[in-house]
Amino acid sequence: MSNLPAPISQDDPNQKETPVASASLPQTAQRSNGKPNNLNVSLYTQTSGNRVLVRRPKRKDNGALKGLARWFVANQIGKLPYRLTCTGLSCNLVALLFLAHSMPRAREYTSKFFTLSYYNSNTGKYFLGSDDSYLIMFFIVVLTGLRAGIMEYVLAPFARARGVHKKKDIVRFSEQGWLLVYYSFFWPLGVYIYRTSTYYLSLHDLWKEWPNRETDGLMKAYTLAQLAFYLQLLIVINIEERRKDHWQMFSHHIVTSTLIYAAYREGHTRVGNLILVLMDVVDIFLPFAKCLKYLGYKTICDVMFAIFMVTWFIARHIFFPMAIYSVWAHTLIYMNGCFYGRELDGPHPPPTTDTWLYIARPLWDTDAPVCFNHNFRNGFFGMLFFLQILTIMWFYLIIRVAIKVIKGGGAEDTRSDDEADELDDQDEYIYEEAQPLEEEVGADEIDLKSWERRVARGKRSTTTATGVSLPGHSDRKELLGRIGCEKQVE
């Protein structure tokens, strides 16, 4: 059997490793971020016993959940060639729903995914119930497909055409561009609903005529779509590369989703609309500023960042605290007691045998009484106050960026622009023993003369190319050639 020398012992500290085709193997080469600089590390090393080690990237966590997350990211929409076909997860789910909807017997069930449920022909409005979850799931799938499709086939090509070449910057530009697209549609829609409402510019009217469990179709679709968007964000930040402020964003999306859902189920869609309008306006200017930064428009980026700062302060630290104050000061004036049934019979005193659960029961039981008292007010106030604390923390970081701009630097949001592990960082490397190529041959099939001719030819080529004969170089190259590496080592 023709083979390499015996495998290297991983536990023998006396065996030394030397690099092949390299003067030395850097032992302490570090990047500025403390990670090893792998660009200077040799592709091969050789032990004192002529055992060859090959460099390979160090394997990262490949657990089941990580693998599932990577699969989901890679298959959100699939590949779209010039013919309009769609093979990804989102497209397949939507296509499957429409295919099932084409069957008359299935329409009773599939129509719940495409239409608003619980229409009341007497009032011309929509009630709420468990069937709303079907539309929410459909919105999540559609938003996932739209996000992946717009990022990959619109925003990423646009970034490359404008001179953005680094993978990290293309990904960031595409992510921020998608947020700009989303909020540029839903913020004006929310403003339209608020501007045409009976509670426009009136904090007291936010709480009148409660509970508002029947809403018009536009308000219902707007609220459910916003809820689906933040639920989809919870999925996205947990399957894609994590950023520095992952847990702050995760907490923000949890609280926001909970508030939207509770406002919808408990009949507080008016204040929900107001808070979404105040929050969403900021998320137009910040993604726009970031997109300008990645495209290289530094001056316009700084101007847009200044507009973003002013908008943030006014919307989130003046108007939003006013809404929080109204929750504390005005709610109990207009809301107290419990209302029963779809006819909202009440107000009645709260039940005495159900402890505090009667307040939360409408979140999962449509027929449960809808109640409001100081306990509900305190919980509502606490969640909004938590959001205000988060926005204050982020505004502190924004002020640091503003100070940097004033001192002559560029505007760069420090909240979430870096992943925990950079997208373009080089992988960490380890060395593994080269696996030999083995072949069973008979003694009469070993051609020693051919071997000698190949060795002599290698020595002649080395001398001719460099004018210097390097002892042992051709033999080492021949050894590497036996494992298929001769083309990589000169």
PDB file of all heavy atoms in Angstrom, residues 88-105:
ATOM      1  N   GLY A  88     -39.139  29.911  -3.362  1.00  0.00           N
ATOM      2  CA  GLY A  88     -38.803  29.990  -1.949  1.00  0.00           C
ATOM      3  C   GLY A  88     -39.969  29.627  -1.049  1.00  0.00           C
ATOM      4  O   GLY A  88     -41.086  29.353  -1.492  1.00  0.00           O
ATOM      5  N   LEU A  89     -39.686  29.671   0.262  1.00  0.00           N
ATOM      6  CA  LEU A  89     -40.680  29.281   1.254  1.00  0.00           C
ATOM      7  C   LEU A  89     -41.905  30.181   1.201  1.00  0.00           C
ATOM      8  O   LEU A  89     -43.039  29.698   1.172  1.00  0.00           O
ATOM      9  CB  LEU A  89     -40.030  29.325   2.646  1.00  0.00           C
ATOM     10  CG  LEU A  89     -40.921  28.939   3.819  1.00  0.00           C
ATOM     11  CD1 LEU A  89     -41.384  27.498   3.688  1.00  0.00           C
ATOM     12  CD2 LEU A  89     -40.181  29.150   5.138  1.00  0.00           C
ATOM     13  N   SER A  90     -41.699  31.497   1.194  1.00  0.00           N
ATOM     14  CA  SER A  90     -42.840  32.422   1.181  1.00  0.00           C
ATOM     15  C   SER A  90     -43.683  32.238  -0.068  1.00  0.00           C
ATOM     16  O   SER A  90     -44.921  32.179   0.001  1.00  0.00           O
ATOM     17  CB  SER A  90     -42.340  33.866   1.273  1.00  0.00           C
ATOM     18  OG  SER A  90     -41.626  34.078   2.470  1.00  0.00           O
ATOM     19  N   CYS A  91     -43.023  32.135  -1.221  1.00  0.00           N
ATOM     20  CA  CYS A  91     -43.767  31.979  -2.480  1.00  0.00           C
ATOM     21  C   CYS A  91     -44.543  30.667  -2.516  1.00  0.00           C
ATOM     22  O   CYS A  91     -45.676  30.617  -2.991  1.00  0.00           O
ATOM     23  CB  CYS A  91     -42.798  32.060  -3.655  1.00  0.00           C
ATOM     24  SG  CYS A  91     -42.025  33.678  -3.841  1.00  0.00           S
ATOM     25  N   ASN A  92     -43.911  29.617  -2.035  1.00  0.00           N
ATOM     26  CA  ASN A  92     -44.592  28.323  -2.040  1.00  0.00           C
ATOM     27  C   ASN A  92     -45.817  28.325  -1.134  1.00  0.00           C
ATOM     28  O   ASN A  92     -46.862  27.747  -1.479  1.00  0.00           O
ATOM     29  CB  ASN A  92     -43.628  27.218  -1.598  1.00  0.00           C
ATOM     30  CG  ASN A  92     -42.638  26.856  -2.696  1.00  0.00           C
ATOM     31  OD1 ASN A  92     -42.910  27.052  -3.871  1.00  0.00           O
ATOM     32  ND2 ASN A  92     -41.489  26.349  -2.303  1.00  0.00           N
ATOM     33  N   LEU A  93     -45.703  28.957   0.030  1.00  0.00           N
ATOM     34  CA  LEU A  93     -46.844  29.005   0.942  1.00  0.00           C
ATOM     35  C   LEU A  93     -48.000  29.803   0.342  1.00  0.00           C
ATOM     36  O   LEU A  93     -49.162  29.392   0.419  1.00  0.00           O
ATOM     37  CB  LEU A  93     -46.408  29.612   2.281  1.00  0.00           C
ATOM     38  CG  LEU A  93     -45.524  28.728   3.165  1.00  0.00           C
ATOM     39  CD1 LEU A  93     -45.072  29.490   4.402  1.00  0.00           C
ATOM     40  CD2 LEU A  93     -46.271  27.459   3.583  1.00  0.00           C
ATOM     41  N   VAL A  94     -47.670  30.956  -0.244  1.00  0.00           N
ATOM     42  CA  VAL A  94     -48.715  31.781  -0.858  1.00  0.00           C
ATOM     43  C   VAL A  94     -49.347  31.045  -2.036  1.00  0.00           C
ATOM     44  O   VAL A  94     -50.575  31.030  -2.199  1.00  0.00           O
ATOM     45  CB  VAL A  94     -48.137  33.133  -1.302  1.00  0.00           C
ATOM     46  CG1 VAL A  94     -49.175  33.926  -2.094  1.00  0.00           C
ATOM     47  CG2 VAL A  94     -47.686  33.944  -0.088  1.00  0.00           C
ATOM     48  N   ALA A  95     -48.514  30.425  -2.869  1.00  0.00           N
ATOM     49  CA  ALA A  95     -49.048  29.679  -4.010  1.00  0.00           C
ATOM     50  C   ALA A  95     -49.929  28.518  -3.559  1.00  0.00           C
ATOM     51  O   ALA A  95     -50.974  28.242  -4.162  1.00  0.00           O
ATOM     52  CB  ALA A  95     -47.888  29.162  -4.868  1.00  0.00           C
ATOM     53  N   LEU A  96     -49.518  27.853  -2.482  1.00  0.00           N
ATOM     54  CA  LEU A  96     -50.319  26.745  -1.963  1.00  0.00           C
ATOM     55  C   LEU A  96     -51.671  27.230  -1.457  1.00  0.00           C
ATOM     56  O   LEU A  96     -52.703  26.580  -1.672  1.00  0.00           O
ATOM     57  CB  LEU A  96     -49.547  26.045  -0.838  1.00  0.00           C
ATOM     58  CG  LEU A  96     -50.224  24.822  -0.205  1.00  0.00           C
ATOM     59  CD1 LEU A  96     -50.428  23.731  -1.247  1.00  0.00           C
ATOM     60  CD2 LEU A  96     -49.390  24.289   0.962  1.00  0.00           C
ATOM     61  N   LEU A  97     -51.686  28.390  -0.807  1.00  0.00           N
ATOM     62  CA  LEU A  97     -52.942  28.946  -0.314  1.00  0.00           C
ATOM     63  C   LEU A  97     -53.884  29.290  -1.468  1.00  0.00           C
ATOM     64  O   LEU A  97     -55.083  28.978  -1.427  1.00  0.00           O
ATOM     65  CB  LEU A  97     -52.659  30.195   0.525  1.00  0.00           C
ATOM     66  CG  LEU A  97     -52.273  29.965   1.983  1.00  0.00           C
ATOM     67  CD1 LEU A  97     -51.901  31.281   2.644  1.00  0.00           C
ATOM     68  CD2 LEU A  97     -53.420  29.307   2.742  1.00  0.00           C
ATOM     69  N   PHE A  98     -53.346  29.927  -2.505  1.00  0.00           N
ATOM     70  CA  PHE A  98     -54.192  30.288  -3.647  1.00  0.00           C
ATOM     71  C   PHE A  98     -54.672  29.039  -4.385  1.00  0.00           C
ATOM     72  O   PHE A  98     -55.793  29.006  -4.898  1.00  0.00           O
ATOM     73  CB  PHE A  98     -53.440  31.214  -4.598  1.00  0.00           C
ATOM     74  CG  PHE A  98     -53.470  32.648  -4.161  1.00  0.00           C
ATOM     75  CD1 PHE A  98     -52.347  33.254  -3.640  1.00  0.00           C
ATOM     76  CD2 PHE A  98     -54.633  33.394  -4.268  1.00  0.00           C
ATOM     77  CE1 PHE A  98     -52.368  34.577  -3.233  1.00  0.00           C
ATOM     78  CE2 PHE A  98     -54.681  34.722  -3.861  1.00  0.00           C
ATOM     79  CZ  PHE A  98     -53.540  35.316  -3.344  1.00  0.00           C
ATOM     80  N   LEU A  99     -53.815  28.022  -4.448  1.00  0.00           N
ATOM     81  CA  LEU A  99     -54.238  26.777  -5.093  1.00  0.00           C
ATOM     82  C   LEU A  99     -55.375  26.131  -4.321  1.00  0.00           C
ATOM     83  O   LEU A  99     -56.374  25.682  -4.907  1.00  0.00           O
ATOM     84  CB  LEU A  99     -53.049  25.823  -5.184  1.00  0.00           C
ATOM     85  CG  LEU A  99     -53.334  24.445  -5.808  1.00  0.00           C
ATOM     86  CD1 LEU A  99     -53.795  24.606  -7.253  1.00  0.00           C
ATOM     87  CD2 LEU A  99     -52.102  23.544  -5.717  1.00  0.00           C
ATOM     88  N   ALA A 100     -55.250  26.103  -2.987  1.00  0.00           N
ATOM     89  CA  ALA A 100     -56.329  25.536  -2.172  1.00  0.00           C
ATOM     90  C   ALA A 100     -57.593  26.391  -2.272  1.00  0.00           C
ATOM     91  O   ALA A 100     -58.712  25.869  -2.263  1.00  0.00           O
ATOM     92  CB  ALA A 100     -55.869  25.428  -0.721  1.00  0.00           C
ATOM     93  N   HIS A 101     -57.405  27.728  -2.391  1.00  0.00           N
ATOM     94  CA  HIS A 101     -58.552  28.623  -2.472  1.00  0.00           C
ATOM     95  C   HIS A 101     -59.331  28.426  -3.766  1.00  0.00           C
ATOM     96  O   HIS A 101     -60.534  28.773  -3.837  1.00  0.00           O
ATOM     97  CB  HIS A 101     -58.077  30.073  -2.366  1.00  0.00           C
ATOM     98  CG  HIS A 101     -59.187  31.058  -2.179  1.00  0.00           C
ATOM     99  ND1 HIS A 101     -59.966  31.113  -1.042  1.00  0.00           N
ATOM    100  CD2 HIS A 101     -59.669  32.025  -3.004  1.00  0.00           C
ATOM    101  CE1 HIS A 101     -60.858  32.071  -1.157  1.00  0.00           C
ATOM    102  NE2 HIS A 101     -60.707  32.642  -2.344  1.00  0.00           N
ATOM    103  N   SER A 102     -58.688  27.881  -4.789  1.00  0.00           N
ATOM    104  CA  SER A 102     -59.379  27.649  -6.052  1.00  0.00           C
ATOM    105  C   SER A 102     -60.359  26.482  -5.969  1.00  0.00           C
ATOM    106  O   SER A 102     -61.181  26.299  -6.874  1.00  0.00           O
ATOM    107  CB  SER A 102     -58.350  27.376  -7.160  1.00  0.00           C
ATOM    108  OG  SER A 102     -57.637  26.172  -6.898  1.00  0.00           O
ATOM    109  N   MET A 103     -60.275  25.714  -4.892  1.00  0.00           N
ATOM    110  CA  MET A 103     -61.204  24.590  -4.696  1.00  0.00           C
ATOM    111  C   MET A 103     -62.405  25.077  -3.898  1.00  0.00           C
ATOM    112  O   MET A 103     -62.249  25.576  -2.776  1.00  0.00           O
ATOM    113  CB  MET A 103     -60.494  23.466  -3.945  1.00  0.00           C
ATOM    114  CG  MET A 103     -59.232  22.975  -4.623  1.00  0.00           C
ATOM    115  SD  MET A 103     -58.362  21.730  -3.634  1.00  0.00           S
ATOM    116  CE  MET A 103     -56.882  21.497  -4.614  1.00  0.00           C
ATOM    117  N   PRO A 104     -63.596  24.980  -4.438  1.00  0.00           N
ATOM    118  CA  PRO A 104     -64.784  25.539  -3.770  1.00  0.00           C
ATOM    119  C   PRO A 104     -64.977  25.039  -2.349  1.00  0.00           C
ATOM    120  O   PRO A 104     -65.381  25.803  -1.469  1.00  0.00           O
ATOM    121  CB  PRO A 104     -65.937  25.111  -4.684  1.00  0.00           C
ATOM    122  CG  PRO A 104     -65.300  24.941  -6.028  1.00  0.00           C
ATOM    123  CD  PRO A 104     -63.926  24.420  -5.767  1.00  0.00           C
ATOM    124  N   ARG A 105     -64.700  23.772  -2.106  1.00  0.00           N
ATOM    125  CA  ARG A 105     -64.921  23.232  -0.762  1.00  0.00           C
ATOM    126  C   ARG A 105     -63.962  23.809   0.277  1.00  0.00           C
ATOM    127  O   ARG A 105     -64.261  23.797   1.470  1.00  0.00           O
ATOM    128  CB  ARG A 105     -64.790  21.716  -0.788  1.00  0.00           C
ATOM    129  CG  ARG A 105     -65.883  21.010  -1.573  1.00  0.00           C
ATOM    130  CD  ARG A 105     -65.741  19.502  -1.466  1.00  0.00           C
ATOM    131  NE  ARG A 105     -66.809  18.803  -2.173  1.00  0.00           N
ATOM    132  CZ  ARG A 105     -66.925  17.483  -2.224  1.00  0.00           C
ATOM    133  NH1 ARG A 105     -66.023  16.718  -1.601  1.00  0.00           N
ATOM    134  NH2 ARG A 105     -67.924  16.929  -2.886  1.00  0.00           N
TER     135      ARG A 105
END
